[in-house]
Amino acid sequence: MRQYLHSVLILGLVVACSGNTAQDGDSHDMTSTPTAGSDSQGPTAGAATQPSGGAASAGTSSAGAPSAASGATLGGNSSAAGASSGGASGSGTAGSATGGMNTAGAAGAAGKQPPVFEFPMSVGADQKLSKTMIVTDFDGKLTRYIGTGDLGSGGQAEGQDPLFLVKAGGSLKNVILGAPAADGVHCEGSCTIDNVWWEDVGEDAITLEGKDSSIVYRISNSGARMATDKVIQHNGAGTLYVKNFLVEDFGKLYRSCGNCGTQYQRHSQFDTIVANGSKGVIAGVNAKYNDSAKFANIFPGVTIKVCERYDGNDTGAEPSLLGSGADGTYCLYSPSDITVH
């Protein structure tokens, strides 16, 4: 009889404990994939919805990045440190080097997970461009555009023309740039780039050309891959905000021009960046011209350099590297801003 009662007691405890699994932080069975972009045909984006905290809208941030037209969402990741029933937490130690935090280590809040961004499928037939398309406010409805003729180069030769030139104050959204893509997109001044995807970057993905310090460039809910060198080339003046961006197989995500004939002070902010398949650099800035780059929610797939400082010039000479890592002046981030996933 004692043995029988003991077995019943154990069985009751097992049943009582097994009914509470969904509340212990195991989000793998409670996922959703909201849509990014400006229409219902946009790419999948957003982290799996957590059991607590809810889905947080990827709208205007302190960096000033705009919301996607249809509201790309990121999962509200509120799991307690190491409390996921799935196993180990994501805590770790950031890499360090002389002169500051040189490489992005496995730092960040325990259990912090990157959002899920995916390249979208194109809609309709590919469109071939033999000359630059000049636009003010253009919605490509997720059509793929590829270069042909004079825009048919997929190489790294300098001075190529872009597929799209966005006029000052204009916008480009819901566009896929296939291969070859020449020099991608140029912004003549302030511009908004939303839900634009570079499948195979040519010379650069996008070049920023405005000449006034008040100019603002905003890039959101977008992505680029296969960039032998740079993704974002900042030749002009002004401030760049990048939010919700996927970059894969790249040299540098961002470079403040190191040897342009006319130089400016340039500022940039990066929020929610997923960087995969590369040991490249997130950003390169010119200390000589008092540039700054600020980072938050950076999710590299491997340990990479977050920020490099250069001694820029206006002579055309190759600028020398001064150092890398957070320094509180030119490269602004802390270990908790970087999470290797």
Side-chain angles (χ1 to χ4, degrees):
M1 177 62 73
R2 288 181 178 177
Q3 185 175 2
Y4 172 77
L5 291 175
H6 183 64
S7 299
V8 171
L9 178 59
I10 292 176
L11 178 60
L13 290 172
V14 170
V15 171
C17 292
S18 65
N20 223 7
T21 305
Q23 298 178 357
D24 290 337
D26 186 356
S27 63
H28 300 293
D29 295 326
M30 302 179 66
T31 60
S32 63
T33 53
T35 303
S38 301
D39 58 27
S40 60
Q41 297 166 333
T44 302
T49 304
Q50 302 296 324
S52 61
S57 172
T60 302
S61 69
S62 59
S67 303
S70 65
T73 57
L74 301 179
N77 200 329
S78 59
S79 58
S84 171
S85 61
S89 68
S91 61
T93 303
S96 61
T98 303
M101 293 167 291
N102 186 36
T103 57
K112 190 175 182 180
Q113 296 296 318
V116 177
F117 298 138
E118 296 179 352
F119 279 79
M121 297 292 290
S122 63
V123 175
D126 291 353
Q127 299 297 308
K128 295 183 178 181
L129 297 177
S130 59
K131 63 179 182 180
T132 300
M133 181 182 290
I134 301 174
V135 301
T136 300
D137 292 297
F138 183 75
D139 185 343
K141 303 186 185 302
L142 282 181
T143 299
R144 177 186 289 113
Y145 291 83
I146 58 176
T148 188
D150 291 341
L151 298 181
S153 172
Q156 290 295 305
E158 295 289 339
Q160 295 182 54
D161 289 331
L163 295 188
F164 290 92
L165 172 63
V166 182
K167 300 294 287 183
S171 65
L172 182 69
K173 63 182 180 180
N174 302 323
V175 167
I176 298 173
L177 284 81
D183 202 31
V185 176
H186 286 192
C187 280
E188 199 173 60
S190 294
C191 66
T192 298
I193 307 298
D194 182 44
N195 200 28
V196 175
W197 299 82
W198 291 262
E199 294 180 326
D200 187 346
V201 174
E203 181 185 349
D204 300 313
I206 183 167
T207 302
L208 312 176
E209 299 178 329
K211 294 177 172 56
D212 191 278
S213 61
S214 64
I215 286 173
V216 174
Y217 317 89
R218 303 182 188 275
I219 303 174
S220 60
N221 310 308
S222 300
R225 63 188 177 199
M226 300 176 66
T228 302
D229 192 6
K230 300 173 295 293
V231 175
I232 303 170
Q233 175 71 34
H234 196 166
N235 291 344
T239 301
L240 165 69
Y241 298 102
V242 183
K243 185 174 177 66
N244 299 339
F245 198 95
L246 171 65
V247 61
E248 298 180 337
D249 300 315
F250 63 103
K252 284 184 175 67
L253 172 58
Y254 168 85
R255 181 66 171 100
S256 172
C257 184
N259 55 8
C260 284
T262 302
Q263 289 286 29
Y264 305 93
Q265 182 183 73
R266 306 178 181 103
H267 301 289
S268 55
Q269 295 190 26
F270 304 87
D271 185 355
T272 313
I273 309 297
V274 177
N276 294 329
S278 176
K279 291 188 177 180
V281 181
I282 300 297
V285 299
N286 300 314
K288 181 175 182 177
Y289 299 109
N290 295 313
D291 291 351
S292 68
K294 186 176 181 180
F295 307 86
N297 301 310
I298 308 299
F299 298 93
V302 295
T303 299
I304 65 176
K305 290 184 178 180
V306 175
C307 187
E308 290 183 335
R309 302 181 299 280
Y310 289 86
D311 185 21
N313 63 75
D314 58 5
T315 65
E318 190 65 24
S320 57
L321 177 66
L322 300 176
S324 59
D327 64 354
T329 302
Y330 310 109
C331 298
L332 305 170
Y333 62 96
S334 64
S336 62
D337 293 315
I338 316 298
T339 303
V340 175
H341 66 93

